[in-house]
Amino acid sequence: MQQMHDAVIVGGGPAGASCALWLARLGLAPLLVEASGRLGGLSVDNPFADDWIAVLPGMTGQQVAANIDTSVRAAGVPLRLDTRVTAVRPCKGGIEATLADANGDVSQARGRTLVIASGVRAKGFPEHPPGSQWPGVLIGPGSPIVAQDYSGLSVAVLGGGDNAFENYVYVRNRGARAVHLYARSVRAQQQWVQRAGKEGVRIGPYQVDPATRSVDGQRYDLILVFYGWEPQAAFADGLQLARDARGYIRTDFATAETSVPDIYAIGEVAHRMHPCVVTSMADGVVAAKAIQRRWERAGE
Ligand SMILES: Cc1cc2nc3c(=O)[nH]c(=O)nc-3n(C[C@H](O)[C@H](O)[C@H](O)COP(=O)(O)OP(=O)(O)OC[C@H]3O[C@@H](n4cnc5c(N)ncnc54)[C@H](O)[C@@H]3O)c2cc1C
């Protein structure tokens, strides 16, 4: 007979890992499922100093991710790495998740509750399917931007938010031959707008063709795209959870429960609070305590 976990948690970023750790230490039986080979979520791709976590001074995002891995393993949380949840559906007594591992093997996991902690992904070009790739076109911030050699290259940076302006300044200082920033409108904080200056910054409509790496007909060696983020939880579409206009899952502030009983959503996929490592981890705690209370009440 297949094991019934107290919670199947989808996503091993700060939110899901924190929820799993708390549930395990509260004496419940979670299963943590992570699509990639590592815990830590977006922090795995953050090579920069993370100066925003008061109890972890001097750490990079990647060290934060490594600490998450250590903490989850120390709590004895059952883990499925390199395993993607592809669908979820209600079953007797809870939820059944379909899991696909890196070898293409498919299995099922059952939980009394489901915790959706699958985070966000960087947005690409709206006219192309999510995940589309082209040579010389990098989508989103993080390690690939840092690993790139810019010497002598012409670079177009696209986007009007903090990430676009911050990375425009970054690339300009890395030996590129020419760098232009294209922003349809400006949403970035004033500190980044001022540091970017006016030269090379083009505000207004533009046309981009990723296949030829050109913007308004001008060809570039590299195009860096910073169009913001979008929630990733298509596997849960069949559950008809209430979402906001941008697709983020709506939750109850006190419990992190979604519009469907016993299904919780935490971290960036729910966009409950300012998204960062600390708020995502706090969300995990809120859901874990709500799940514990739920089963204590059921046992009364
Ligand atoms: C470059 C960069 C720098 C950053 N710097 C900071 C910083 O300095 N300080 C800070 O506090 N925050 C920072 N952040 C933000 C921080 O990393 C995020 O807010 C945080 O990681 C969100 O946690 P999460 O658990 O909600 O989601 P994520 O970190 O996105 O984790 C979600 C996880 O779910 C997994 N997943 C998705 N779908 C599935 C599925 N179907 N099945 C199984 N697994 C799935 C993903 O592989 C991922 O591991 C930074 C982010 C980036 C990109």
Side-chain angles (χ1 to χ4, degrees):
M1 170 107 178
Q2 200 180 36
Q3 182 182 355
M4 180 64 102
H5 300 276
D6 288 318
V8 172
I9 302 168
V10 188
S18 153
C19 185
L21 180 149
W22 272 69
L23 284 170
R25 294 212 177 275
L26 290 168
L28 295 167
L31 172 69
L32 182 57
V33 186
E34 166 55 43
S36 76
R38 298 170 69 178
L39 295 179
L42 290 177
S43 296
V44 171
D45 260 340
N46 175 14
F48 305 108
D50 183 343
D51 297 325
W52 304 93
I53 306 179
V55 292
L56 291 177
M59 294 263 161
T60 64
Q62 286 167 340
Q63 288 170 313
V64 169
N67 285 352
I68 287 173
D69 185 277
T70 303
S71 301
V72 166
R73 290 179 195 274
V77 173
L79 265 180
R80 292 284 304 268
L81 293 178
D82 286 315
T83 302
R84 179 170 289 280
V85 173
T86 57
V88 285
R89 66 174 188 88
C91 68
K92 192 165 183 293
I95 288 285
E96 185 174 73
T98 303
L99 317 183
D101 70 18
N103 301 321
D105 291 334
V106 174
S107 58
Q108 315 292 329
R110 296 173 74 207
R112 288 183 230 281
T113 57
L114 174 74
V115 180
I116 301 172
S118 44
V120 288
R121 70 174 155 238
K123 276 194 208 166
F125 301 104
E127 57 278 26
H128 296 282
S132 301
Q133 292 182 341
W134 300 265
V137 178
L138 303 182
I139 297 179
S143 304
I145 302 292
V146 175
Q148 174 68 44
D149 180 4
Y150 298 95
S151 319
L153 300 186
S154 62
V155 184
V157 179
L158 312 182
D162 286 348
N163 276 319
F165 276 77
E166 188 176 353
N167 281 284
Y168 170 66
V169 173
Y170 176 84
V171 173
R172 233 177 25 187
N173 295 330
R174 295 286 178 297
R177 175 165 50 83
V179 192
H180 298 139
L181 172 65
Y182 293 85
R184 295 193 170 98
S185 61
V186 176
R187 289 168 284 111
Q189 296 173 51
Q190 274 310 306
Q191 56 157 325
W192 286 114
V193 177
Q194 277 162 15
R195 284 177 69 179
K198 290 210 161 59
E199 204 188 322
V201 176
R202 299 166 185 192
I203 313 285
Y206 60 84
Q207 295 293 325
V208 53
D209 178 3
T212 58
R213 279 201 306 277
S214 53
V215 186
D216 284 345
Q218 181 168 349
R219 293 187 70 139
Y220 290 91
D221 298 315
L222 262 184
I223 295 184
L224 313 184
V225 183
F226 302 100
Y227 283 169
W229 302 92
E230 59 192 359
Q232 50 175 355
F235 64 88
D237 282 354
L239 297 173
Q240 310 287 330
L241 305 175
R243 300 202 183 211
D244 72 12
R246 293 192 296 155
Y248 290 92
I249 299 173
R250 288 189 194 278
T251 56
D252 179 276
F253 190 77
T255 60
E257 198 169 22
T258 67
S259 56
V260 175
D262 295 333
I263 299 180
Y264 298 76
I266 55 176
E268 294 226 17
V269 76
H271 213 285
R272 282 172 16 114
M273 299 179 273
H274 174 80
C276 68
V277 169
V278 171
T279 53
S280 297
M281 293 181 75
D283 251 12
V285 179
V286 170
K289 288 297 294 178
I291 291 168
Q292 182 200 31
R293 280 195 303 272
R294 166 86 177 76
W295 295 115
E296 279 177 358
R297 273 202 314 272
E300 279 169 5

